[in-house]
Amino acid sequence: MGMTTADVHGRDLRYFLAVAEELHFTRAAEKLYVSQPALSKQIRALERQLGAPLFDRDRRGVALTPVGTALLPHARAALAAWEEGREAVRRAREAADGTLVVGMSTSPGRGGLLPAIRSRFTAAHPEARIALRQVAWEDPTAGLADGTSDVAFVWLPLAGADRFRWVVVAAEPRLVALPAAHPLAARESLDFADLLDEPFLALPDTAPELRDHWLALDCRGGRPPVIGGRIAGTDETYEALVGGLGICLVAAGNVPLLAREGVVARPVRGVTPSHLVLAWRADDSRPLVRGYARAAAELGPVES
């Protein structure tokens, strides 16, 4: 009896993959939010369909059979292709209903920058809708790299710069944020040389160019930074500052996000400025993307 590919569903492959990765039915069931008996039943049904066992189950635990091992890379590839397919459908639907997805890691703020770009954009594209989405700091492209954002407000330097185009929307000095109780907080302004031995808060390693920029590697004369903690969001950064884990550089426009109770920001001499840009993929020529970029370019950079 021949098997048709239509018999195997994405769900079956997802279940198989979860067990193959955990090598533990209970943990895999928890990961999938299904009951363990339901998962076991589904795997047994898949094994019957394929005509071979995928897992060896004994007292010592669960292991992949040679058949399971053979299926593994194909199951991964099939699910990845399906995810890409879903993503393509989402993008096509949004293009059809005229939605532009604008990614950002922190709110651009900056004296009404977003409303100013929006009003210029909607004047030229009255039918378009704008969807704003927050993206975690782990992705320095704020969704451009994986296609989940159409345009994005990001900081330079941008990883894989040749894949993107951008316009500068804000050029700002970098200040230093530090706990109010820090001895250096008593000064009106600081030299970066005074901060070289201080522990700094570092961005995620998934954003190396950006991490190095906010550690001001280019201004340290080759001295490696001391890392006091890792940060992946604004609130986490504020907590790390209050907790005394370290200090960090902050763009002038983001100072209000951090300089709250227990944290102060001071001007620093000897560090280069920061640049917030609106970026898009170089190969993306859709009218809404170009229109939003044009609106940002017409506005010109906000100087602070």
Side-chain angles (χ1 to χ4, degrees):
M1 192 178 76
M3 188 197 75
T4 68
T5 47
D7 295 334
V8 175
H9 296 285
R11 184 190 58 186
D12 299 327
L13 293 180
R14 257 206 323 281
Y15 284 12
F16 163 70
L17 211 52
V19 180
E21 282 167 357
E22 296 293 331
L23 291 176
H24 195 284
F25 274 84
T26 310
R27 278 203 301 272
E30 283 166 4
K31 189 172 162 185
L32 293 161
Y33 300 106
V34 297
S35 75
Q36 199 251 308
L39 175 61
S40 296
K41 187 179 161 197
Q42 208 64 40
I43 295 289
R44 277 198 301 275
L46 179 62
E47 289 175 322
R48 272 201 309 279
Q49 248 170 309
L50 298 174
L54 298 168
F55 297 102
D56 282 324
R57 312 158 176 79
D58 62 26
R59 284 191 310 282
R60 287 195 310 280
V62 179
L64 279 164
T65 63
V67 173
T69 304
L71 177 61
L72 190 57
H74 301 290
R76 283 207 175 103
L79 285 172
W82 173 235
E83 273 310 307
E84 276 175 30
R86 281 211 327 219
E87 195 49 52
V89 167
R90 189 189 68 76
R91 284 204 295 269
R93 267 176 45 194
E94 282 173 353
D97 71 6
T99 300
L100 184 79
V101 182
V102 181
M104 58 190 73
S105 55
T106 38
S107 163
R110 288 159 181 80
L113 180 70
L114 275 178
I117 296 176
R118 178 191 284 262
S119 64
R120 281 170 183 269
F121 173 70
T122 47
H125 300 273
E127 77 298 340
R129 293 211 314 278
I130 293 175
L132 302 178
R133 63 185 290 264
Q134 289 280 345
V135 182
W137 292 2
E138 278 83 4
D139 176 7
T141 72
L144 286 182
D146 66 3
T148 51
S149 299
D150 298 317
V151 296
F153 290 96
V154 295
W155 294 97
L156 295 184
L158 197 49
D162 51 329
R163 295 167 53 200
F164 306 108
R165 300 280 175 274
W166 61 80
V167 294
V168 176
V169 293
E172 302 175 344
R174 288 186 283 175
L175 287 76
V176 65
L178 59 177
H182 195 290
L184 292 173
R187 303 201 202 161
E188 283 302 298
S189 66
L190 299 160
D191 285 303
F192 192 61
D194 301 333
L195 305 174
L196 291 177
D197 297 324
E198 293 289 327
F200 268 69
L201 302 174
L203 287 178
D205 293 343
T206 49
E209 292 88 349
L210 222 45
R211 181 196 57 209
D212 292 353
H213 172 72
W214 292 106
L215 293 171
L217 241 56
D218 58 335
C219 309
R220 289 178 179 269
R223 284 172 68 175
V226 181
I227 306 299
R230 311 259 165 205
I231 47 171
T234 307
D235 291 336
E236 205 178 303
T237 306
Y238 173 73
E239 295 301 336
L241 287 163
V242 172
L245 296 185
I247 64 176
C248 67
L249 293 176
V250 55
N254 282 352
V255 165
L257 299 174
L258 293 182
R260 303 179 254 153
E261 190 184 350
V263 175
V264 298
R266 296 284 179 258
V268 192
R269 288 177 295 277
V271 285
T272 51
S274 59
H275 294 92
L276 181 68
V277 302
L278 175 84
W280 61 96
R281 286 179 294 280
D283 59 1
D284 194 344
S285 54
R286 290 175 297 161
L288 291 189
V289 169
R290 295 299 159 139
Y292 198 87
R294 197 175 307 111
E298 284 169 3
L299 212 60
V302 180
E303 297 284 343
S304 78

